[in-house]
Amino acid sequence: MRLTILGCSGSVPGPGQPASGYLLEADGFLLGLEFGNGVFAELQQRRDPFDLDALVLSHMHPDHCADFSALTVLRRYHPAPPYDTTARRLPVHAPANAPLRLAMAYAPNEAELAETDLSDVYEFHALSGEPVKIGPFEVTAIPVVHPTEAFGLRVRHAGRTLAYTGDTGPCDALADLVRDVDVLLAEASWTDAEDRPPGVHLSGKQAGELARDAGVERLLITHVAPWSDRDAILAEARAVFPGAALVERGAVYDV
């Protein structure tokens, strides 16, 4: 699997930094993970958006799905698409409320919302705890703790597994998420020393402990907010997992 970072800014986009967005590629199949603010522009720098074969959204906060509306405009109104987007609808795996939530983001008023159905260009699938085949990938969504319905993701291909926490506070489900994985892409939105509400995000220390306890090969830290101290978060993670690294926009990793 090849992982490309399209955006990794937490909660909001930062200066020159899109919010959450990632690409996973294997066997010629292009899977998008998240589609937050600024990700659509970054995707166009690297790939044709029509090349997306499927998309997974871990939850419906804007920094993880805001650019979906722009993708919808492209798929509906591009004057010369490379294929019929209504015949080849894009599979979207997301929380059960995604079709309504994304339609509400797209429609400018109640009248248009009443007749907005994005299933003309998308094929929606509700995330559940059961493994699903998405192209060559086996994807398992595990519910985690966050202020809205949210999932961590296990993505397996050719004997290798990537775990992605999505947005989550510490919870028992994370042990199942990271068990026997090779690479952990973990959010860490603040330091452990900061006084923050529980059940929202992980600290650098907590991400490091999660990686250490699971015995992963590599810890990649993402979703650091523009107002957070990146160096302090990384130092916390490395204190318990020395190989931790902060991801950067445009970085590419072989999993």
Side-chain angles (χ1 to χ4, degrees):
M1 288 182 284
R2 175 157 290 182
L3 170 68
T4 300
I5 311 300
L6 298 177
C8 53
S9 184
S11 299
V12 297
Q17 296 291 337
S20 294
Y22 314 93
L23 295 175
L24 271 177
E25 189 168 10
D27 299 343
F29 190 95
L30 192 62
L31 175 64
L33 300 180
E34 317 288 44
F35 218 72
N37 322 67
V39 168
F40 184 59
E42 187 67 21
L43 174 61
Q44 291 176 86
Q45 294 277 1
R46 304 177 184 282
R47 299 294 295 263
D48 184 337
F50 287 109
D51 287 346
L52 280 175
D53 292 300
L55 180 63
V56 179
L57 303 175
S58 70
H59 68 289
M60 303 311 297
H61 277 152
D63 60 315
H64 292 255
C65 66
D67 272 14
F68 192 89
S69 291
L71 183 64
T72 303
V73 172
L74 177 87
R75 294 185 63 82
R76 280 183 160 178
Y77 298 113
H78 192 289
Y83 51 81
D84 183 345
T85 57
T86 61
R88 182 177 158 185
R89 296 181 297 162
L90 182 69
V92 178
H93 300 258
N97 70 334
L100 176 59
R101 174 72 178 84
L102 295 169
M104 292 175 68
Y106 181 81
N109 53 55
E110 290 295 326
E112 187 165 334
L113 177 61
E115 58 186 32
T116 295
D117 181 0
L118 302 183
S119 65
D120 59 333
V121 292
Y122 298 113
E123 181 183 286
F124 288 101
H125 304 270
L127 292 174
S128 70
E130 296 300 317
V132 296
K133 288 290 289 183
I134 304 178
F137 303 106
E138 180 186 87
V139 180
T140 305
I142 296 177
V144 293
V145 172
H146 201 52
T148 187
E149 184 182 28
F151 296 85
L153 302 169
R154 289 173 59 95
V155 185
R156 184 170 178 80
H157 174 266
R160 302 281 291 178
T161 304
L162 168 76
Y164 166 54
T165 62
D167 283 9
T168 180
C171 60
D172 293 341
L174 292 178
D176 292 330
L177 178 70
V178 302
R179 184 175 293 115
D180 300 323
V181 306
D182 301 291
V183 177
L184 173 59
L185 178 63
E187 71 116 304
S189 299
W190 47 57
T191 68
D192 208 57
E194 294 178 87
D195 183 17
R196 299 294 188 182
V200 181
H201 293 297
L202 300 177
S203 69
K205 178 183 177 183
Q206 289 165 337
E209 290 172 340
L210 187 63
R212 178 199 63 196
D213 294 346
V216 304
E217 294 175 8
R218 182 184 293 179
L219 170 60
L220 303 175
I221 294 177
T222 189
H223 201 274
V224 178
W227 50 76
S228 293
D229 188 333
R230 292 170 56 84
D231 293 337
I233 290 171
L234 180 60
E236 276 192 355
R238 284 182 171 172
V240 289
F241 191 89
L246 289 171
V247 302
E248 300 283 352
R249 174 178 59 88
V252 178
Y253 304 92
D254 288 324
V255 177

